[in-house]
Amino acid sequence: MAPRLVDQTSAMSPAVVPAATYRLQFNTSFTFDDATAIVDYLDRLGISHCYASSYFRAVPGSTHGYDVADPTQLNPEIGDRESYDRWVRTLRGHHMGHIIDLVPNHMGIAQSANPWWQDVLENGPSSQYASFFDIDWHPLKVELENKVLLPILGDSYGAALERQEITLHYVNGAFNAHYFGSVLPIAPGTYDRILEVDADALLAEIGERDDGLELLSILTAIRHLPGREAQTPQARAERNREKEVIKRRLARLTADSPAVLSHIERAVKTLNGERNHPRSFDRLDDLLSAQPYRLAYWRVAAEEINYRRFFDINELAALRMEDPQVFERTHAFAFELLREGCIDGIRIDHVDGLYDPGDYLDRLQARARDVRPDLFSHDRRLYLVVEKILGLDERLPSWPVEGTTGYEFLVRVNGLFVDGRSERAVNEAFERFTRLRAPFREFAYRSKQLILRMSMASELQVLAHGLNRFSERNRHSRDFTLNLLVYAMREIIASFPVYRTYVNGREPDVSAHDRRYIEYAVSEAKRRNPRHPSVVFDFVRGLLLKKADYIPEEAREEHLKFLSKFQQVTSPVTAKGIEDTALYIYNRLVSLNEVGGEPDKFGVTAEALHAWLAERARRWPHALSASSTHDTKRSEDVRARINALSEIAGEWRQAAGRWARINRKARLILDGESYPSRNEEYLLYQTIVGTWPVQPMSGEQEREYCQRITDYMLKTMREAKVFTSWLNPSEPHEQAMTRFVEMVLSPANAAFRRDFGELASRVARYGVYNSLAQLAIKIGAPGVPDFYQGTELWDFSLVDPDNRRPVDYEKRRRLLENLGDPAELLEHPEDGRLKLFATTTMLKARRAAHDLFRCGRYEPLAIDGSAREHVFAFARVLGQRQAIVAVPRLVASLQPDGSAPTGEVWRDTRIAVPDDAPRCYRQAFTGECAAVIEEGGRRWMRAADVFARFPIALLEAA
């Protein structure tokens, strides 16, 4: 464990605080050279730091980079070191920097691209990398002792084998099994099973020759190779050395001896069997059964997978980052880049997957201090943020970081534009249309239960068996059956209110927050299960709270490991259960269905957001402020539109009902029921309201849009797991949904188009003002404004892969050079210049007053007048310097016709100003001044002056 840098890590300041970050998704379609080409554009936009997706070597063809296969080198599909250095030099030439994205929790293992994983498959527990991956070498199933279960087959093992989909190959001294794109090493200690096939005839021919003697010597070496259970460093080193010697000797032998090479080719052909002759595959079956891995059909292997994964993704194997050797090897290249001055900060992916996140982050900062001591002068530290999903009442632990990547910011700011007064009307619209009445927490509970029974069943079983070992040590709990312990564990995890707790061995007591979450989960599990003995739940509670006094001192480490494993399970179960299941089922108002959101929390009041932002300014002033990311379910502009439906709930309910009647002809009868479900149809209508293009579409654009929505609906169906799923696709339901979407969106569906068009165009106007308002808050509020690639223009993307489409930077460059007059932009917002103008204007102002926005205190501003519910305003104050951000909210009820909320629409509404305010403020967007007046003993500005000709305001002293 690394020592804490200071007692209160949040008291330290980062060496670098970005003015604004811009997220770049690197892949084969966007390389280092492409990034270099847009540096000048990003500089002109007002960006200070590129925030890069992972660019270390990934599985070939990766579109996202989170499946790193080799963290010791750059991804060649993105570029080489020369192109990387050129990008970094170009950034420095524009006084810009970049933040690197590290993935410490897991690695990609698909396509045999990971050399460390391949070594594990060849050598089992004796591999030099066996301790790198979180593998249970002694699982519950005895047949998997010292083996890794590989769920890569598309059918049962026997069927794949006898169809000759699994075949043996020999190349340059080594044997491998091939299964489509996977190349699986054959353990050298089992080569004799191949070489001895019909070897008598060969040896009779060459036995006395040099090549015959060499073959016999190689067979002897194979038989004396230390087994894969070798545990001592000496035995492992011997095995690692001698197996390579065997391969080199065999390669030389087959190069020099045509007879031996022909023998091996015949043996390989024999083992590969003959179609329609099942017994001919017995030898290959025996050979594969002797390997340190066991091949399995991916659809049925969930209960027996014995390596920890990222969520339930079989192709992403988790790392044991708590091991110092693993930490050093996986971070060596990143620290090299840090030492060379290439990077300015780090973003940590999925921090909740780590064994002990706090200890890891301490070690990371301590190691960064060793590498770059200059960054740590004057109580400074490396700029570090974590991808951590916080509940609405959850606080980030006091880690040595600047905060999170900003999902909690996104959720709260988004909620400001949801009309909390209309919750009852929105509920009624949803329930009448879908006939669903259960609260969101019930969907969340059921979805987590589903995940625990299906895709993460093996993780639950491992936890329950660990629990059973502890129960057997106590006379008061030894009667608990394994089934009862499995049940209790499942219920507690499904009831967990947050992603995870952070109980660890460094701190003697459980924190008050963690205690509260554990107590809640156990209490909720007991409430839901009155017919099950509460004593079992209390037993688990005692273990989780470290109150199991009966555990002897020598078993404390085992107890801590159990706690950490439990915490590593609750996080992916929550993510898969809520983010990837429940959020696709509970479609009340889908703009609330976001990562980190709680859809049953309907709207955020101005007072609540002010209080939260003020707290953020005190505790996490340099955290990222996101509004769209590569993982959001909908872009900021899609949410901005859908939020407006909360203000017109009655009209929306009537419109959705009319559309359902119009589109009734597109439905089919499946299993005796009309399909799609009403819930899916309700989601579709919200989706097209949120994404409908702002400009008329050509025929090709119509087809492209229809395909996007079809693909999205198919993904939502599989994630929801109601009628189809990734594990068990239902072709009839998916075909019926495709047909429904195509018929609904067809230009020939004229009645729907006419009815939909009027409401959609008005909602789109509401969305413009909501989007601009949340943009202004993001740039002006405490935190570092973060921009997902391309979102400086209107972006109506949905969940990935829709939000990972290529960005047209030439178009953005042209528009930035020809922004035009604000009044004209406001009149014609369709081409996106309006948002681009607002973005670059505010970013440049923020960069010019970086200290004010970086260090200035947050001051909520009072609003008075008849439209006070429709204004949100705050000031940033640093000494005598100040800036004011003011935005409209709930514009649909303020301007029902969708016209701009500017000028005298604000009537008597006024905005208070801070102490020491100047006589007037200059509006950054128009250059006009808003005078400060004194009324009732306070100083104010008229909202009509603040929003005279532009719907949002950034005000600076004139």
Side-chain angles (χ1 to χ4, degrees):
M1 297 178 190
R4 304 287 291 191
L5 295 177
V6 289
D7 290 336
Q8 286 294 322
T9 54
S10 59
M12 296 183 73
S13 297
V16 174
V17 178
T21 57
Y22 191 93
R23 172 72 177 198
L24 295 176
Q25 290 292 123
F26 282 105
N27 52 55
T28 187
S29 300
F30 189 84
T31 65
F32 293 135
D33 286 339
D34 295 319
T36 301
I38 66 169
V39 168
D40 63 322
Y41 161 75
L42 296 178
D43 184 24
R44 289 191 57 204
L45 186 64
I47 299 297
S48 70
H49 286 71
C50 288
Y51 163 30
S53 66
S54 176
Y55 48 65
F56 294 156
R57 190 182 191 108
V59 171
S62 173
T63 60
H64 48 76
Y66 287 103
D67 46 359
V68 174
D70 187 347
T72 68
Q73 56 180 299
L74 297 171
N75 189 342
E77 294 184 346
I78 297 172
D80 56 17
R81 188 57 196 262
E82 183 180 349
S83 60
Y84 175 80
D85 289 341
R86 186 163 52 246
W87 174 51
V88 173
R89 284 196 305 271
T90 305
L91 287 170
R92 299 308 184 207
H94 287 265
H95 305 288
M96 296 171 65
H98 94 276
I99 295 170
I100 190 174
D101 198 340
L102 292 188
V103 188
N105 178 68
H106 57 268
M107 295 183 75
I109 58 173
Q111 300 182 43
S112 307
N114 189 314
W116 298 352
W117 184 256
Q118 291 297 103
D119 194 85
V120 170
L121 296 186
E122 182 179 66
N123 299 292
S126 67
S127 166
Q128 59 183 316
Y129 301 105
S131 63
F132 279 43
F133 298 97
D134 203 347
I135 300 169
D136 182 0
W137 293 107
H138 309 288
L140 305 176
K141 186 168 183 172
V142 295
E143 292 83 357
L144 288 174
E145 182 76 13
N146 289 318
K147 289 176 178 280
V148 180
L149 186 75
L150 287 186
I152 64 172
L153 302 181
D155 201 343
S156 70
Y157 166 71
L161 186 73
E162 294 175 13
R163 283 200 299 263
Q164 294 185 319
E165 293 173 355
I166 307 170
T167 55
L168 183 66
H169 295 259
Y170 171 77
V171 178
N172 196 29
F175 292 97
N176 295 285
H178 288 213
Y179 177 74
F180 296 103
S182 295
V183 178
L184 307 169
I186 297 297
T190 63
Y191 284 8
D192 56 339
R193 296 171 182 246
I194 306 167
L195 297 176
E196 290 178 343
V197 173
D198 300 327
D200 291 345
L202 173 68
L203 292 174
E205 176 187 346
I206 68 170
E208 299 302 319
R209 292 172 10 195
D210 288 345
D211 51 353
L213 295 175
E214 176 64 2
L215 178 60
L216 289 171
S217 178
I218 290 173
L219 285 168
T220 300
I222 290 171
R223 296 186 188 107
H224 287 84
L225 190 68
R228 63 172 180 256
E229 295 81 14
Q231 295 297 314
T232 67
Q234 296 82 358
R236 287 188 174 191
E238 179 184 346
R239 176 185 170 85
N240 190 56
R241 179 184 68 246
E242 295 304 319
K243 72 181 179 64
E244 295 304 315
V245 171
I246 290 169
K247 292 179 187 177
R248 289 195 296 268
R249 291 176 65 186
L250 190 58
R252 283 195 301 269
L253 177 60
T254 52
D256 295 339
S257 174
V260 173
L261 179 60
S262 295
H263 166 72
I264 289 176
E265 289 172 344
R266 289 193 300 273
V268 166
K269 183 177 180 181
T270 298
L271 264 70
N272 282 332
E274 297 181 39
R275 280 181 177 268
N276 302 317
H277 292 83
R279 303 300 305 181
S280 69
F281 296 95
D282 288 355
R283 283 179 168 177
L284 182 56
D285 180 24
D286 290 341
L287 177 66
L288 293 173
S289 297
Q291 301 310 306
Y293 50 82
R294 176 175 171 137
L295 301 176
Y297 180 26
W298 74 273
R299 292 188 191 275
V300 298
E303 290 188 10
E304 295 180 351
I305 293 172
N306 62 326
Y307 63 93
R308 188 167 62 86
R309 301 160 291 169
F310 172 71
F311 294 177
D312 59 353
I313 303 173
N314 297 336
E315 295 81 12
L316 298 176
L319 291 166
R320 295 182 62 254
M321 198 52 63
E322 63 273 19
D323 185 323
Q325 183 187 9
V326 179
F327 177 90
E328 290 298 330
R329 289 290 295 273
T330 55
H331 291 75
F333 186 44
F335 287 135
E336 178 185 329
L337 297 179
L338 179 65
R339 180 184 295 108
E340 295 173 0
C342 296
I343 60 179
D344 303 281
I346 297 176
R347 180 256 199 195
I348 300 300
D349 179 69
H350 189 49
V351 73
D352 274 351
L354 300 174
Y355 188 85
D356 184 349
D359 178 61
Y360 166 80
L361 295 167
D362 282 340
R363 285 186 288 150
L364 192 66
Q365 286 283 13
R367 198 66 182 82
R369 179 177 55 193
D370 294 340
V371 171
R372 287 287 304 276
D374 57 302
L375 294 179
F376 286 77
S377 60
H378 308 294
D379 287 331
R380 298 186 306 172
R381 65 185 177 204
L382 178 68
Y383 184 83
L384 183 61
V385 292
V386 292
E387 184 200 35
K388 162 64 188 166
I389 312 303
L390 292 167
L392 291 184
D393 64 344
E394 184 181 6
R395 287 190 173 187
L396 189 67
S398 293
W399 292 334
V401 300
E402 304 317 310
T404 75
T405 53
Y407 286 107
E408 71 280 7
F409 176 90
L410 179 158
V411 167
R412 285 169 174 82
V413 172
N414 181 70
L416 184 69
F417 302 95
V418 173
D419 191 349
R421 301 167 299 186
S422 300
E423 182 173 12
R424 183 174 179 180
V426 171
N427 286 345
E428 183 178 348
F430 170 61
E431 292 171 0
R432 284 194 177 188
F433 192 99
T434 66
R435 305 180 184 100
L436 295 175
R437 299 187 184 277
F440 175 73
R441 65 178 179 275
E442 190 62 29
F443 287 100
Y445 167 79
R446 294 175 188 173
S447 297
K448 288 196 280 186
Q449 284 272 4
L450 179 66
I451 296 301
L452 285 164
R453 292 177 185 276
M454 293 175 55
S455 57
M456 297 197 70
S458 64
E459 287 83 351
L460 178 64
Q461 290 293 329
V462 169
L463 280 178
H465 277 264
L467 196 60
N468 184 59
R469 285 194 292 271
F470 287 110
S471 72
E472 288 293 337
R473 291 175 175 156
N474 188 333
R475 68 174 66 96
H476 298 289
S477 59
R478 70 177 193 179
D479 295 338
F480 299 158
T481 66
L482 179 59
N483 285 340
L484 191 56
L485 293 171
V486 170
Y487 187 90
M489 186 62 69
R490 184 189 300 119
E491 289 296 315
I492 290 171
I493 294 174
S495 300
F496 227 72
V498 292
Y499 278 65
R500 67 165 284 173
T501 51
Y502 301 96
V503 181
N504 59 73
R506 294 172 292 112
E507 298 163 339
D509 298 318
V510 177
S511 72
H513 283 95
D514 286 348
R515 185 180 302 109
R516 180 158 57 92
Y517 301 138
I518 292 168
E519 294 277 14
Y520 174 88
V522 173
S523 175
E524 180 69 6
K526 290 164 70 173
R527 183 191 68 79
R528 287 180 175 274
N529 296 278
R531 288 180 290 183
H532 286 75
S534 62
V535 66
V536 180
F537 297 102
D538 291 334
F539 165 71
V540 179
R541 172 184 170 277
L543 277 174
L544 298 181
L545 292 175
K546 296 168 67 171
K547 291 183 176 180
D549 297 335
Y550 56 86
I551 298 177
E553 191 61 35
E554 60 270 20
R556 290 295 175 185
E557 185 176 343
E558 183 185 356
H559 180 203
L560 179 61
K561 183 177 180 180
F562 171 82
L563 293 175
S564 297
K565 291 297 183 184
F566 172 84
Q567 293 172 136
Q568 286 179 302
V569 170
T570 61
S571 176
V573 168
T574 301
K576 293 300 297 181
I578 294 180
E579 292 178 32
D580 293 344
T581 307
L583 291 186
Y584 290 97
I585 301 174
Y586 186 76
N587 297 320
R588 178 177 66 161
L589 186 71
V590 295
S591 55
L592 299 176
N593 292 19
E594 197 47 84
V595 178
E598 297 180 16
D600 52 347
K601 301 297 189 294
F602 198 84
V604 174
T605 65
E607 294 75 18
L609 182 57
H610 278 312
W612 186 82
L613 288 173
E615 176 71 5
R616 193 180 209 225
R618 288 189 294 270
R619 289 183 54 82
W620 308 107
H622 311 312
L624 292 185
S625 300
S627 49
S628 293
T629 77
H630 60 288
D631 279 335
T632 44
K633 303 301 182 186
R634 293 160 189 82
S635 73
E636 60 206 58
D637 297 324
V638 174
R639 292 195 309 272
R641 286 183 179 182
I642 297 173
N643 283 339
L645 298 179
S646 69
E647 299 182 70
I648 56 170
E651 184 180 359
W652 163 247
R653 184 190 69 195
Q654 294 171 1
R658 290 195 305 273
W659 301 342
R661 291 190 291 274
I662 293 171
N663 293 318
R664 189 178 300 155
K665 61 184 179 296
R667 293 178 156 276
L668 291 176
I669 300 298
L670 291 178
D671 300 326
E673 300 287 339
S674 178
Y675 190 80
S677 70
R678 299 279 289 184
N679 191 37
E680 291 167 320
E681 186 176 10
Y682 202 64
L683 169 63
L684 174 64
Y685 294 147
Q686 291 182 72
T687 299
I688 58 178
V689 166
T691 59
W692 193 258
V694 293
Q695 294 177 309
M697 292 182 282
S698 65
E700 181 60 31
Q701 289 170 330
E702 289 266 9
R703 288 188 289 274
E704 180 185 338
Y705 178 72
C706 182
Q707 188 62 55
R708 282 181 56 213
I709 301 304
T710 299
D711 291 345
Y712 170 73
M713 291 302 296
L714 292 178
K715 174 167 182 170
T716 65
M717 292 170 64
R718 289 189 174 188
E719 297 286 19
K721 308 169 188 67
V722 176
F723 300 100
T724 185
S725 69
W726 299 107
L727 189 65
N728 187 26
S730 170
E731 190 172 330
H733 286 91
E734 293 185 2
Q735 289 178 344
M737 178 60 77
T738 298
R739 175 179 182 272
F740 186 78
V741 173
E742 289 174 349
M743 291 183 69
V744 168
L745 295 181
S746 171
N749 192 4
F752 172 72
R753 280 284 179 103
R754 284 193 301 271
D755 196 313
F756 172 81
E758 189 281 327
L759 179 62
S761 63
R762 189 155 37 89
V763 170
R765 294 290 291 191
Y766 302 150
V768 165
Y769 312 127
N770 284 348
S771 289
L772 293 177
Q774 67 183 1
L775 171 68
I777 295 172
K778 177 170 79 171
I779 297 177
V784 176
D786 174 45
F787 291 81
Y788 183 63
Q789 59 180 26
T791 58
E792 63 270 30
L793 297 186
W794 304 129
D795 179 67
F796 300 105
S797 296
L798 296 163
V799 73
D800 69 280
D802 193 58
N803 63 4
R804 310 220 178 141
R805 290 171 292 154
V807 177
D808 187 346
Y809 285 108
E810 286 306 312
K811 173 183 178 180
R812 284 158 174 77
R813 190 187 296 274
R814 289 194 307 271
L815 293 178
L816 186 61
E817 293 170 353
N818 300 280
L819 286 175
D821 179 71
E824 185 263 331
L825 299 179
L826 191 59
E827 187 67 25
H828 301 286
E830 297 83 9
D831 62 8
R833 286 181 300 154
L834 175 63
K835 188 180 183 186
L836 185 62
F837 166 73
T839 299
T840 190
T841 300
M842 287 197 72
L843 284 180
K844 289 176 179 176
R846 180 177 176 118
R847 187 161 63 181
H850 185 42
D851 285 347
L852 171 62
F853 289 98
R854 180 172 65 92
C855 306
R857 82 172 180 273
Y858 178 88
E859 184 174 325
L861 298 181
I863 312 296
D864 188 46
S866 56
R868 61 184 175 275
E869 295 294 325
H870 298 277
V871 179
F872 182 81
F874 59 86
R876 304 299 306 278
V877 180
L878 182 65
Q880 300 300 308
R881 302 169 62 193
Q882 54 184 251
I884 291 176
V885 173
V887 300
R889 62 184 291 256
L890 308 181
V891 293
S893 48
L894 179 70
Q895 291 285 76
D897 64 354
S899 57
T902 56
E904 292 306 317
V905 68
W906 294 104
R907 301 183 297 278
D908 61 338
T909 306
R910 55 190 183 175
I911 303 170
V913 297
D915 296 336
D916 302 321
R919 291 167 52 185
C920 66
Y921 288 89
R922 187 184 71 85
Q923 161 65 295
F925 298 108
T926 64
E928 296 177 337
C929 285
V932 174
I933 58 177
E934 289 203 28
E935 291 181 1
R938 296 190 66 174
R939 307 180 76 195
W940 308 82
M941 292 181 294
R942 295 179 64 243
D945 296 337
V946 171
F947 303 121
R949 294 196 304 118
F950 206 73
I952 60 174
L954 171 60
L955 303 161
E956 304 162 305

